Amino acid sequence: MSDPERDEAAAAIVEIDYRLTLVELCRASAAREDEVRAWIEEGVLVPDGTVAGEWRFAAATLTRARAAARLARAFEIDAPALALVLGLMDEIERLKARLG
């Protein structure tokens, strides 16, 4: 099973209504807390809540966090570059969906 397929399967296991804490998201995505905070600042990840101590993340965010962690490590890119890369990847997926 390839990494994206495994990530989707892992996200599917987490209940749809379940919200992860920052610590849980970091553990599950193998990302450091400072990385996740930087990704949030750049808009890569969007938590529920406005206060860091109350942040909760939808289960689907886990897939994106894992992708972010993988890209950041593989290409040694910082949070702004990661936001750009993931934004472009999102746009490619939207365009593919439009083409059907």
Side-chain angles (χ1 to χ4, degrees):
M1 187 181 291
S2 70
D3 284 343
E5 290 172 348
R6 184 180 54 195
D7 288 346
E8 287 178 32
I13 291 170
V14 178
E15 292 181 32
I16 294 188
D17 291 337
Y18 185 76
R19 300 281 186 235
L20 294 104
T21 65
L22 178 60
V23 171
E24 290 170 331
L25 182 68
C26 290
R27 284 183 187 152
S29 65
R32 295 186 325 265
E33 187 174 323
D34 64 309
E35 289 177 308
V36 172
R37 287 178 182 271
W39 300 339
I40 291 167
E41 287 178 25
E42 292 297 327
V44 171
L45 303 176
V46 180
D48 294 334
T50 56
V51 179
E54 298 174 2
W55 283 341
R56 297 294 180 267
F57 300 88
T61 304
L62 177 56
T63 301
R64 189 163 181 87
R66 285 181 171 164
R70 210 172 29 254
L71 287 167
R73 285 175 184 70
F75 297 105
E76 298 179 3
I77 56 177
D78 61 7
L82 184 63
L84 176 64
V85 169
L86 286 171
L88 291 171
M89 291 173 67
D90 291 343
E91 183 63 23
I92 289 168
E93 289 305 312
R94 281 191 292 275
L95 291 170
K96 283 181 179 179
R98 284 182 63 192
L99 291 174

